[in-house]
Amino acid sequence: MFENLYKSDIVIFGGHGDLSFRKLIPALYHLANDGYIDLNSRIILISRTKMNDDKNKALVKEKLKFFLNKDFCEEKYSKFENLINYCYINFTENDTFVNLKNILDNSLNEDRVFYLSTSSDFYGDICKLLTTHNLIKVSSRVVLEKPIGKDLKSSKLINNKVLEYFNEDKIYRIDHYLGKDTVQNLLALRFSNQMFVPLWDANNIDHIQITLSESVGVESRWEFYNEYGAMRDMVQNHLMQLVCLLAMERPYSLDANAVRDEKVKVLNSLRNIDEKDIANHTIRAQYTKGYIDGKEVSGYLEDGGNQSDTETFVSLKLFIDNFRWSNTPFYIRTGKRMANKNSEIVIQFKSVPHSIFDSYIMPNKLIISFSPDESITLNLMHKIPGLDEKMKLQEVNLELNPPRNVIRKNEAYERLLLDVIRANPTLFMRLDEVERAWKWTDNIINAWKNNMTPMQDYKAGSMGPSSIYAMMAKDGRNWHEC
Ligand code: BG6
């Protein structure tokens, strides 16, 4: 493990933000403790709240204890704490960047990563001021959190500004779904198992379903979320990435550009959902009050105390117009305050063309779950043992789960932060991916703005509005209930 020890200065803008405390610092704590980050690395938390080093460390410790819970270890923390530095910066004030310069100029580390976990409106200004103070070295990388902008136009403006200061190969646009082991496993499953290779197309697959449901509401993020909604928060990035990994052709290698080239081809082949299809192919909805785990929870409008036409749920039927997927629907749904937290992909194969049995033959399904638990299950038909004259069949589940020989499951951000530190961009989004995904989702959002599909509602604690079942039923299909 020690040959993989990386030494870097990791500067986090938004260092005291929710993402930083909830995901980034815990991920760095694990990377340091697991021996991936040299203990001479430094983590510099940038905040707009003035405080001294001791107060900062006390805050970090309190948050780490809370978010790591039983994974927190006092002894390990005392070593990790030496990596933590605090720096006050107001993102738009030139003079305050001197504080960061003082810290970085004193560093023994050659390598620098700037992680921008702020509103994307600040990305351009931050990069500009980093340049003004001569803080960007040739090898420095910048990480951009999603969403980058609110639509194609604003995303282009932000990306172009950042590109004035960093080359494309130094820009790491993060989508944390790509850091999940099960999501990466889609590549392994598809491209290292010959049995799936000839089956993975429109001739053999009837349709694909993707569900990303969450039981949480928008919590303290109402203001932010209300500007974005489920389409920009989940579909434009996480869901589009999953569609790409499921649908793409085999890349010639796992080289970053080889993989990204194939993903972009999928995005380029997405059939536009235009105004004539919007009503049949899209559903948007907002949660109203209901019950989750037996507890009454409020509706979206009550949560924010405001009127709003922001969707907290989206379901789409989409098509990829290429040779492999011709007319094979991908049904996707995602939403807040649904019955449970569940991330699941269902590949439903076609029915056998002719049956010689009396029993009903269920089409085979490959079910890939990655939250709350990770599992891969293949549903197959099987003879019920016994002496019946007529053979009876039943569906059995073949569990394809690898034995877990790891003690702790790595979090997506551990993998992605380590990849940034070791300068491997394969699991990050290239500019054209982000822009193509915006272009496609903008179309739908604009049609919604023109009121082509009314906002529906769904009860908190349900799996969305009833129209999602009707959309499937119309096609003679149904949702696999998680
Ligand atoms: C984030 C969204 O990108 O993903 C959140 O902004 C959402 O709204 C989260 O809750 C879901 O991530 P995960 O890993 O919990 O499925």
Side-chain angles (χ1 to χ4, degrees):
M1 187 164 299
F2 286 98
E3 74 212 27
N4 293 330
L5 205 57
Y6 295 94
K7 197 157 87 171
S8 195
D9 278 345
I10 303 147
V11 182
I12 305 179
F13 284 84
H16 283 178
D18 184 61
L19 181 76
S20 177
F21 285 134
R22 192 183 287 271
K23 298 286 182 191
L24 305 181
I25 304 175
L28 291 165
Y29 168 90
H30 287 307
L31 290 176
N33 287 322
D34 291 351
Y36 288 103
I37 303 185
D38 186 292
L39 293 178
N40 289 314
S41 290
R42 296 188 312 169
I43 298 164
I44 301 148
L45 302 180
I46 309 277
S47 165
R48 288 187 285 184
T49 314
K50 286 189 176 156
M51 66 172 62
N52 63 30
D53 253 356
D54 289 345
K55 262 203 153 169
N56 174 57
K57 284 187 175 160
L59 180 65
V60 170
K61 185 172 180 181
E62 176 198 319
K63 296 283 186 183
L64 261 184
K65 268 187 165 170
F66 179 77
F67 287 116
L68 287 176
N69 204 345
K70 59 180 180 1
D71 283 336
F72 182 86
C73 160
E74 197 72 50
E75 197 189 326
K76 288 179 178 168
Y77 176 74
S78 62
K79 285 192 204 135
F80 176 71
E81 194 183 61
N82 298 327
L83 275 65
I84 301 282
N85 291 257
Y86 165 79
C87 177
Y88 166 77
I89 285 189
N90 188 339
F91 307 147
T92 51
E93 266 178 41
N94 185 6
D95 292 352
T96 59
F97 276 70
V98 175
N99 299 337
L100 181 60
K101 188 171 174 54
N102 290 339
I103 298 179
L104 290 178
D105 283 354
N106 268 326
S107 180
L108 299 174
N109 299 330
E110 269 302 300
D111 196 58
R112 253 171 222 182
V113 169
F114 298 100
Y115 197 118
L116 309 192
S117 172
T118 66
S119 154
S120 58
D121 293 341
F122 291 116
Y123 292 174
D125 288 334
I126 293 174
C127 294
K128 180 172 173 206
L129 289 173
L130 288 174
T131 308
T132 309
H133 291 268
N134 216 3
L135 299 178
I136 303 175
K137 297 186 175 190
V138 184
S139 64
S140 300
R141 274 96 63 217
V142 66
V143 185
L144 308 183
E145 257 301 330
K146 60 127 278 241
I148 304 175
K150 279 190 68 186
D151 49 23
L152 179 60
K153 192 170 163 215
S154 54
S155 164
K156 266 186 190 284
L157 277 176
I158 295 164
N159 276 305
N160 286 344
K161 271 193 177 175
V162 174
L163 278 162
E164 285 177 30
Y165 310 103
F166 286 92
N167 286 335
E168 175 63 24
D169 66 339
K170 298 287 184 286
I171 303 178
Y172 287 62
R173 298 180 190 84
I174 208 162
D175 181 318
H176 79 274
Y177 267 60
L178 294 178
K180 293 179 189 256
D181 250 341
T182 324
V183 173
Q184 289 158 39
N185 199 28
L186 291 174
L187 293 177
L189 195 72
R190 290 195 51 201
F191 302 126
S192 70
N193 294 297
Q194 181 58 26
M195 64 176 282
F196 289 127
V197 173
L199 296 181
W200 213 265
D201 63 14
N203 292 327
N204 298 288
I205 291 177
D206 177 74
H207 72 277
I208 293 183
Q209 306 181 8
I210 311 177
T211 299
L212 300 183
S213 65
E214 295 184 90
S215 53
V216 290
V218 293
E219 320 272 79
S220 55
R221 295 197 308 158
W222 202 91
E223 298 289 328
F224 161 85
Y225 188 90
N226 199 46
E227 289 280 302
Y228 289 82
M231 191 70 169
R232 296 179 172 103
D233 188 45
M234 296 293 287
V235 179
Q236 189 269 347
N237 31 74
H238 305 324
L239 275 151
M240 288 290 95
Q241 288 295 323
L242 293 177
V243 168
C244 284
L245 294 179
L246 287 164
M248 71 194 232
E249 298 301 315
R250 187 181 48 231
Y252 67 81
S253 79
L254 282 182
D255 168 74
N257 279 329
V259 174
R260 299 192 286 189
D261 283 349
E262 296 307 332
K263 287 199 280 169
V264 169
K265 285 185 203 161
V266 174
L267 293 168
N268 282 333
S269 317
L270 279 173
R271 186 184 301 169
N272 271 339
I273 298 185
D274 55 23
E275 297 200 347
K276 83 176 158 29
D277 290 328
I278 199 94
N280 291 331
H281 291 210
T282 74
I283 291 167
R284 56 175 175 151
Q286 222 176 47
Y287 62 82
T288 55
K289 74 173 177 217
Y291 288 85
I292 295 183
D293 291 335
K295 278 199 207 117
E296 187 168 27
V297 291
S298 46
Y300 180 67
L301 299 183
E302 293 140 315
D303 282 346
N306 256 322
Q307 271 312 310
S308 162
D309 60 358
T310 298
E311 76 289 348
T312 60
F313 175 95
V314 175
S315 182
L316 304 176
K317 172 163 120 180
L318 59 93
F319 291 94
I320 297 165
D321 283 334
N322 65 15
F323 207 82
R324 183 182 287 276
W325 294 111
S326 169
N327 286 325
T328 309
F330 285 60
Y331 299 92
I332 64 180
R333 59 178 170 172
T334 182
K336 299 276 184 200
R337 282 254 199 267
M338 291 173 66
N340 49 28
K341 166 82 182 160
N342 188 48
S343 309
E344 187 183 79
I345 296 166
V346 178
I347 320 284
Q348 168 139 359
F349 291 89
K350 291 199 163 158
S351 305
V352 286
H354 171 73
S355 174
I356 53 173
F357 303 98
D358 286 343
S359 304
Y360 177 68
I361 301 187
M362 300 286 282
N364 300 133
K365 279 185 195 149
L366 179 67
I367 302 164
I368 304 163
S369 300
F370 46 101
S371 187
D373 299 315
E374 293 183 3
S375 65
I376 302 179
T377 308
L378 185 59
N379 290 357
L380 298 173
M381 294 309 289
H382 191 269
K383 177 184 176 296
I384 299 176
L387 302 179
D388 292 323
E389 191 180 352
K390 286 196 172 171
M391 210 189 277
K392 287 194 180 138
L393 305 185
Q394 66 182 352
E395 196 182 34
V396 290
N397 297 340
L398 185 63
E399 306 287 341
L400 304 176
N401 306 318
R404 276 229 157 265
N405 53 3
V406 284
I407 301 156
R408 189 181 58 78
K409 197 177 115 198
N410 296 115
E411 286 277 339
Y413 276 97
E414 285 175 52
R415 165 71 198 227
L416 295 175
L417 275 164
L418 185 58
D419 278 357
V420 179
I421 294 167
R422 57 191 171 196
N424 179 352
T426 307
L427 296 176
F428 295 81
M429 292 178 291
R430 208 169 54 189
L431 180 64
D432 47 354
E433 278 178 77
V434 175
E435 293 194 347
R436 192 59 191 82
W438 271 127
K439 194 169 169 214
W440 191 79
T441 44
D442 273 3
N443 240 349
I444 299 173
I445 294 170
N446 290 337
W448 283 349
K449 267 195 209 137
N450 298 337
N451 253 332
M452 304 299 293
T453 46
M455 179 72 75
Q456 303 179 20
D457 54 39
Y458 62 103
K459 274 204 166 19
S462 69
M463 282 308 281
S466 54
S467 52
I468 63 163
Y469 301 102
M471 177 159 92
M472 278 281 209
K474 232 162 108 188
D475 296 347
R477 302 184 172 105
N478 51 283
W479 286 101
H480 175 258
E481 277 323 334
C482 344

